[in-house]
Amino acid sequence: MTAYDVVVLAGGAARRLGGADKPGVRVGGRPLLDRVLAACPDARTTVVVADPRPTSRPVTWAREDPPGGGPLAALDAGLRHTTAPYVLVFSADLPFLQEGTVRLLVTVLRTGGADGVLLTDADGRDQPLVAAYRAPSLRHELNALTKEHGTLTGLPLRRLTAALDLTRVPDPVASFDCDTWDDIAAARARIREHGHVLDEWISAVKDELGIDLDVDTGVLLDLARDAAHGVARPAAPLTTFLVGYAAAQAGGTPEAVAEASRKAAALALRWADEDGKDGKDTGATPDGAPDARPDAG
């Protein structure tokens, strides 16, 4: 993938949240800032413009001078720590930002001729803090604004975006930001909906445990179902735990998880089959295939 850096603006006053620590507000069990960081694991450098705090992965910290100087001053402070040709700029309050969105922004920017690519929200409004930019274009315009005004402190973000050639991509979900407590409540409710809760939970657990592994959750769910129905209900969580342990022993790859799951699922089906046959010999080998030995039967 094309090299890119990320600048996350996380030092705002959050006045509409009553001055709460917005980057630390939890949605789906994870701070909003960590959710944004999780969406861009391939960044060459990730800069967070804010006072330092614990984060789910290492970042470079920066701060505008004076603190609270606004988004342009913060962006300029973060940009000074980047070297990649493309810079993705995010606010720290995007609960639904995903890796796929990051890849899309970079791809559209790389294959097009614009200075930047930004998302638009459900109302069609530009979201310049959910965007990818060409770093030279950002630096050029920030320098021009500094020369014109003497400082970037207090200048609105539109002074920058108005001078750039921008491509717009509609995405009402990834562009959703949390400015109010009602927004926070809506985000928390959405991730608990049936269509989202499992993926959100798995993502949160992997983040909490420091696991970077893509697994076929359908395989694991099928295994848990077979163990619960064919053996006993408590066998489901215990079996999936043992599969995880075995997969870790075998290298911890997605292939190792799939192989351990396959073996355990086959065992659960054989276990259930024996119970259904009242102990009668079915003439099958341990892996469930018909016994082809000459003296079989």
Side-chain angles (χ1 to χ4, degrees), residues 263-286:
K263 290 181 177 179
L267 175 61
L269 293 175
R270 294 198 305 269
W271 186 289
D273 186 62
E274 287 182 12
D275 183 60
K277 296 295 184 179
D278 296 324
K280 295 179 181 179
D281 186 357
T282 61
T285 56

Side-chain angles (χ1 to χ4, degrees), residues 40-78:
C40 40
D42 298 324
R44 195 163 69 182
T45 299
T46 299
V47 185
V48 179
V49 185
D51 293 330
R53 65 171 67 227
T55 52
S56 58
R57 64 181 180 86
V59 301
T60 298
W61 296 97
R63 201 67 166 111
E64 71 274 25
D65 185 18
L72 282 189
L75 175 57
D76 182 62

Side-chain angles (χ1 to χ4, degrees), residues 20-129:
D21 175 27
K22 183 161 66 168
V25 172
R26 294 182 180 273
V27 172
R30 291 184 292 167
L32 283 169
L33 175 56
D34 281 349
R35 296 180 70 89
V36 173
L37 296 178
C40 40
D42 298 324
R44 195 163 69 182
T45 299
T46 299
V47 185
V48 179
V49 185
D51 293 330
R53 65 171 67 227
T55 52
S56 58
R57 64 181 180 86
V59 301
T60 298
W61 296 97
R63 201 67 166 111
E64 71 274 25
D65 185 18
L72 282 189
L75 175 57
D76 182 62
L79 196 62
R80 295 176 186 275
H81 295 271
T82 66
T83 57
Y86 304 127
V87 176
L88 276 71
V89 180
F90 300 124
S91 59
D93 60 351
L94 303 168
F96 305 123
L97 187 67
Q98 300 289 334
E99 289 186 48
T101 306
V102 171
R103 289 193 294 268
L104 175 64
L105 287 169
V106 174
T107 298
V108 174
L109 181 60
R110 177 178 56 83
T111 57
D115 295 319
V117 179
L118 55 75
L119 298 190
T120 56
D121 64 16
D123 296 319
R125 294 173 298 194
D126 288 354
Q127 298 297 316
L129 297 184

Side-chain angles (χ1 to χ4, degrees), residues 212-216 247 251-261:
D212 183 16
L213 176 67
D214 290 326
V215 297
D216 187 340
T253 63
E255 292 76 18
V257 175
E259 178 62 12
S261 299

Side-chain angles (χ1 to χ4, degrees), residues 62-253:
R63 201 67 166 111
E64 71 274 25
D65 185 18
L72 282 189
L75 175 57
D76 182 62
L79 196 62
R80 295 176 186 275
H81 295 271
T82 66
T83 57
Y86 304 127
V87 176
L88 276 71
V89 180
F90 300 124
S91 59
D93 60 351
L94 303 168
F96 305 123
L97 187 67
Q98 300 289 334
E99 289 186 48
T101 306
V102 171
R103 289 193 294 268
L104 175 64
L105 287 169
V106 174
T107 298
V108 174
L109 181 60
R110 177 178 56 83
T111 57
D115 295 319
V117 179
L118 55 75
L119 298 190
T120 56
D121 64 16
D123 296 319
R125 294 173 298 194
D126 288 354
Q127 298 297 316
L129 297 184
V130 198
Y133 300 96
R134 297 184 190 276
S137 299
L138 282 185
R139 292 191 174 95
H140 179 269
E141 296 304 332
L142 288 171
N143 288 336
L145 286 169
T146 301
K147 289 180 180 179
E148 179 182 355
H149 298 278
T151 181
L152 294 173
T153 299
L155 292 181
L157 197 57
R158 64 177 178 273
R159 292 290 183 90
L160 172 67
T161 55
L164 297 173
D165 176 24
L166 300 174
T167 297
R168 290 159 175 84
V169 177
D171 191 331
V173 177
S175 64
F176 180 87
D177 57 356
C178 294
D179 289 327
T180 67
W181 287 113
D182 285 344
D183 294 336
I184 296 291
R188 288 171 171 169
R190 185 181 189 278
I191 67 171
R192 285 169 172 77
E193 293 173 359
H194 177 72
H196 308 289
V197 65
L198 186 58
D199 287 341
E200 288 285 350
W201 171 248
I202 295 300
S203 179
V205 170
K206 291 195 296 184
D207 191 53
E208 188 75 14
L209 299 179
I211 298 172
D212 183 16
L213 176 67
D214 290 326
V215 297
D216 187 340
T217 55
V219 169
L220 293 177
L221 289 173
D222 288 344
L223 168 61
R225 179 202 62 207
D226 291 341
H229 292 174
V231 183
R233 189 172 298 275
L238 294 174
T239 303
T240 52
F241 165 77
L242 292 172
V243 162
Y245 187 86
Q249 294 286 82
T253 63

